[in-house]
Amino acid sequence: MPDESLPEELRRAHLIGIGGAGMSGIARILLARGARVSGSDAKESRALLSLRTQGAELFVGQRAENLDAFPEGPSAVVVSTAIREDNPELAAARERGIPVLHRAQALAGLMTGHRVACIAGTHGKTSTTSMLTVALQNCRLDPSFAIGGDLNESGANAHHGSGGVFVAEADESDGSFLTYTPSVAVVTNVEPDHLDHHGTAEAYVAVFAEFVRRIEPGGVLIVCADDPGAAALGDDAEAAGVRVLRYGHSVTGDDDAKVLSHTPAADGGVVRISLRGEEIDVRVAVPGEHMALNTIAALLAGIELGAPVDGLLAGLAVFGGVRRRFEFKGRSGDVRVYDDYAHHPTEVDAQLRAVRHAAGAGRVVVVFQPHLYSRTKTFAKEFAAALSLADEVVVLDVYGAREEPEPGVTGALIADRVSVPVHYQPAFDVAAKLVADLVRPADLVVTMGAGDVTQLGPEILAELDRRGGQG
């Protein structure tokens, strides 16, 4: 039987594109709360296999008849922005008068009755949401959560918890985070992105201001004072009467978390902060100063949710990371291979600076796949500057995702501007052999991007093994 608190329209839900990170998480929570779930995706995946074992009725391929999984039909059809109006299942739902919900609307329905913490920002959302979730779990609060990536601890991207807290990654890419009403909101940074949807940098910034207005009365906004966009957002929110907490190197408030020092290490390091008149050492379990800042954001959010500081610190210290966030894929000889989701110039820059500490005496070889034609065209110069932090670069062709190809926009736009040894390789199927040709003993290889570049890590390792583990 469905959970009585579950909204009526979600008790028989059909999810189009159910294998995606956000949609599969919603499906997981719906199933845990007793809903009947059906859905479809273009291809089989690990997510579909997992959801089938939990009782979902799933289809590969999208057809109108997939809506007939339940004799009485679905109570709602759930879609993401990526689903086009001519999708046969969406078109059939509209013809039949079945309510159609955006993914964010469905997630907002699942948040009902919980104290909600939303993590937003141009970069760092998934990692910070994951850190907060693991820290709260360590305090035995068993939060519900929905994250855009799988926790390494559990392999899950969502969970229906027994506690009264719901932690969610809040996606600004299509403005859908304006559906949520958080009690605790974190904004890690604000830097123009997703201009294919928002149009201008000003519109992108404005949607964050609107998100802040969604914070419930008596709630709190937590912002990174080191980021100009987030800092300005915090100042405006405070002027409007919202309680604001800040973290970073330049904060001054008694309740803010001031960074006193950061001692990096290959496996993370330690950041010392001053908080409420006390100096605290925070063990960071993943490398990079950006991750240290994300850890502090998670700590402040956990405190606001009522968790004990000692328990939060212990949880953050053992945080195992998120899949595709500097995820270790394996070793061949003394060459290590990692995979990372960075797909914006600022993310690439921050991650490659962090990778330096992990590389030790070896070189950093990055295999970068640009994501979206619009982003590649807009930020080609910035991508090249960030990638030039590596010792050697392989640039693949653009992963278009939801966009149609644009004449003249290829990975070469970036590769031609990189200032270190670079190789533009548009043929994906030979990339692993190229990387194996390039690496030397003790090198660290990182595949990077939001597309299918993640498939290359195992192929690179296999090729290196075939050659006897020699770089």
Side-chain angles (χ1 to χ4, degrees), residues 13 38 41 60 64 73 97 123 171 186 217 256-257 290-291 298-299 379 384 395-396 398 428 444 464 469:
S38 63
D41 211 351
V60 175
H123 324 293
D171 181 16
V186 175
D256 296 336
H290 62 304
M291 287 297 188
L299 174 64
F379 296 118
V395 180
L396 306 178
V398 179
F428 190 92
L444 186 153
L464 289 171

Side-chain angles (χ1 to χ4, degrees), residues 5 73 101 154 294 300 365 395:
S5 65
L101 301 179
S154 63
N294 292 342
L300 287 179
V365 179
V395 180

Side-chain angles (χ1 to χ4, degrees), residues 24-37:
S24 62
I26 289 171
R28 186 186 299 272
I29 296 174
L30 284 169
L31 290 163
R33 294 180 64 174
R36 298 174 66 188
V37 173

Side-chain angles (χ1 to χ4, degrees), residues 272-325:
R272 171 161 283 201
I273 65 171
S274 174
L275 179 63
R276 298 175 182 173
E278 181 181 0
E279 291 191 6
I280 301 172
D281 284 337
V282 182
R283 176 75 174 87
V284 183
V286 281
E289 185 167 357
H290 62 304
M291 287 297 188
L293 290 170
N294 292 342
T295 303
I296 300 170
L299 174 64
L300 287 179
I303 292 171
E304 286 298 312
L305 292 168
V309 173
D310 288 348
L312 292 169
L313 291 173
L316 292 168
V318 298
F319 172 67
V322 187
R323 285 180 180 155
R324 299 230 55 215
R325 272 65 177 182

Side-chain angles (χ1 to χ4, degrees), residues 186-418:
V186 175
V187 176
T188 56
N189 38 58
V190 180
E191 183 179 2
D193 194 10
H194 303 291
L195 301 187
D196 56 317
H197 175 83
H198 295 286
T200 65
E202 292 76 15
Y204 181 82
V205 171
V207 80
F208 278 93
E210 193 172 347
F211 170 67
V212 169
R213 290 193 285 273
R214 298 284 305 174
I215 298 173
E216 67 179 29
V220 63
L221 172 65
I222 300 171
V223 296
C224 180
D226 292 352
D227 177 75
L233 184 73
D235 291 344
D236 291 344
E238 197 165 55
V242 177
R243 185 165 67 94
V244 178
L245 297 178
R246 298 169 175 85
Y247 61 97
H249 293 80
S250 57
V251 299
T252 57
D254 290 340
D255 290 333
D256 296 336
K258 181 178 178 63
V259 175
L260 302 176
S261 66
H262 175 220
T263 305
D267 60 349
V270 175
V271 58
R272 171 161 283 201
I273 65 171
S274 174
L275 179 63
R276 298 175 182 173
E278 181 181 0
E279 291 191 6
I280 301 172
D281 284 337
V282 182
R283 176 75 174 87
V284 183
V286 281
E289 185 167 357
H290 62 304
M291 287 297 188
L293 290 170
N294 292 342
T295 303
I296 300 170
L299 174 64
L300 287 179
I303 292 171
E304 286 298 312
L305 292 168
V309 173
D310 288 348
L312 292 169
L313 291 173
L316 292 168
V318 298
F319 172 67
V322 187
R323 285 180 180 155
R324 299 230 55 215
R325 272 65 177 182
F326 198 52
E327 179 187 1
F328 181 63
K329 304 302 292 186
R331 178 190 296 268
S332 180
D334 56 0
V335 174
R336 290 168 290 159
V337 178
Y338 291 80
D339 183 45
D340 195 84
Y341 191 68
H343 57 283
H344 183 281
T346 300
E347 296 168 351
V348 174
D349 183 289
Q351 195 57 61
L352 288 180
R353 291 182 188 277
V355 168
R356 277 288 169 206
H357 292 288
R363 299 185 312 152
V364 175
V365 179
V366 60
V367 185
F368 180 68
Q369 182 185 53
H371 185 259
L372 299 180
Y373 296 97
S374 58
R375 186 182 284 127
T376 302
K377 182 178 180 180
T378 302
F379 296 118
K381 180 180 177 181
E382 291 80 1
F383 274 124
L387 289 168
S388 296
L389 293 170
D391 295 294
E392 193 141 14
V393 179
V394 175
V395 180
L396 306 178
D397 224 342
V398 179
Y399 185 84
R402 59 186 178 272
E403 294 183 345
E404 296 297 326
E406 187 173 339
V409 180
T410 70
L413 280 181
I414 296 171
D416 289 346
R417 293 171 167 86
V418 172

